[in-house]
Amino acid sequence: MMDLVHVLGRTIFFYFFILLSYRIMGKREIAQLSISDLTISILMAELVAISIENREDQMILTIFPILLLVVLEVVLAFLQLKFNSFRNFMDGKPSLIVDKGKLNIKEMVKQRYSVDDLLLALRGNQIKSIDEVDYAILETNGKLSIFKKGLLKQNSTYPLPIIIDGKIEHQALVGIRKSEDWLKGSLRENGMTIENTLYAFYKQNKIYVVKK
């Protein structure tokens, strides 16, 4: 009977402790977890499970590692917010799977994303076939963002981000066949520089800029 009370007590304690930890880390829902978030979540779950099973161990042996993971996650989140390159290293970058209605086979192979995976995601969004899709982007959390074609099934122009947090997206520039010099010249025409640009995207042969 005492063992049961002990297990129930630890379970209730760690429920509220993990709930508070996630509040501190600012998490919302499982679908929005990045790779680093998911890794920390798995580690925390394993630590709690071990603590509940090993009733002889002191709870501090579980509480301290979880607190360390919370601090680590907060620090990593700050670094990812501050440094775009570090965020790309930790979580990767979104991948363009369907571009202007055409499959990006090279990127699908790179991401090990099969046609069956794509069709499954399309069915989940009530889309019958690939020819209804204008753009499809595989996000860093594994979710596929889908942009359908217009009523006449005409291709639109996806607003491709070319500057994020003041950093040039060189891969995007290659995709639109523009150079870094062109980008700097376009910014100067708008009275801007790369340093004071928070976000810029390219759509329909125009550049749109958001100042820091």
Side-chain angles (χ1 to χ4, degrees):
M1 186 63 181
M2 288 300 297
D3 288 342
L4 178 60
V5 172
H6 193 78
V7 170
L8 289 176
R10 286 199 173 202
T11 302
I12 294 172
F13 170 81
F14 280 116
Y15 171 79
F16 288 103
F17 182 68
I18 296 298
L19 190 64
L20 178 62
S21 298
Y22 271 91
R23 292 287 292 176
I24 294 173
M25 291 189 294
K27 301 306 165 197
R28 294 174 294 278
E29 55 185 87
I30 296 299
Q32 295 175 326
L33 294 181
S34 63
I35 295 174
S36 60
D37 297 334
L38 184 60
T39 302
I40 288 180
S41 297
I42 293 173
L43 287 174
M44 291 172 65
E46 288 295 326
L47 286 169
V48 171
I50 292 172
S51 178
I52 293 175
E53 291 176 359
N54 301 330
R55 297 184 297 276
E56 296 80 10
D57 294 341
Q58 295 182 355
M59 291 176 61
I60 191 64
L61 297 178
T62 301
I63 294 174
F64 182 76
I66 291 178
L67 288 176
L68 180 61
L69 289 174
V70 171
V71 172
L72 178 63
E73 175 67 2
V74 172
V75 171
L76 289 177
F78 174 78
L79 291 176
Q80 291 182 58
L81 184 64
K82 195 74 174 176
F83 303 103
N84 191 42
S85 57
F86 182 74
R87 180 171 63 249
N88 293 337
F89 171 76
M90 291 295 295
D91 296 330
K93 301 176 68 174
S95 302
L96 195 60
I97 300 299
V98 179
D99 184 9
K100 297 179 182 178
K102 297 181 180 179
L103 292 180
N104 189 347
I105 301 298
K106 182 178 179 180
E107 191 64 28
M108 292 178 69
V109 172
K110 180 181 177 181
Q111 300 298 328
R112 297 181 292 280
Y113 197 80
S114 68
V115 175
D116 285 338
D117 295 329
L118 175 59
L119 293 176
L120 177 62
L122 294 182
R123 289 194 296 271
N125 286 272
Q126 290 78 48
I127 296 177
K128 297 177 182 178
S129 62
I130 297 176
D131 64 355
E132 296 181 32
V133 179
D134 196 2
Y135 292 90
I137 301 171
L138 183 63
E139 307 293 355
T140 56
N141 60 7
K143 180 182 177 182
L144 190 70
S145 298
I146 302 171
F147 300 85
K148 297 177 67 174
K149 292 181 179 179
L151 294 177
L152 301 178
K153 290 193 174 182
Q154 295 178 338
N155 291 328
S156 59
T157 303
Y158 176 70
L160 200 63
I162 52 180
I163 295 180
I164 300 177
D165 292 335
K167 304 294 183 182
I168 299 175
E169 295 292 307
H170 293 282
Q171 187 175 355
L173 284 179
V174 173
I176 61 175
R177 297 180 177 85
K178 300 293 184 180
S179 66
E180 187 173 332
D181 290 336
W182 167 85
L183 175 59
K184 292 178 179 178
S186 299
L187 290 175
R188 281 196 298 269
E189 292 176 2
N190 289 274
M192 302 283 290
T193 64
I194 294 175
E195 289 73 20
N196 66 2
T197 300
L198 178 65
Y199 176 73
F201 65 91
Y202 181 80
K203 182 178 181 180
Q204 296 178 338
N205 299 319
K206 293 183 180 181
I207 183 172
Y208 299 85
V209 182
V210 178
K211 189 176 182 179
K212 282 186 179 180

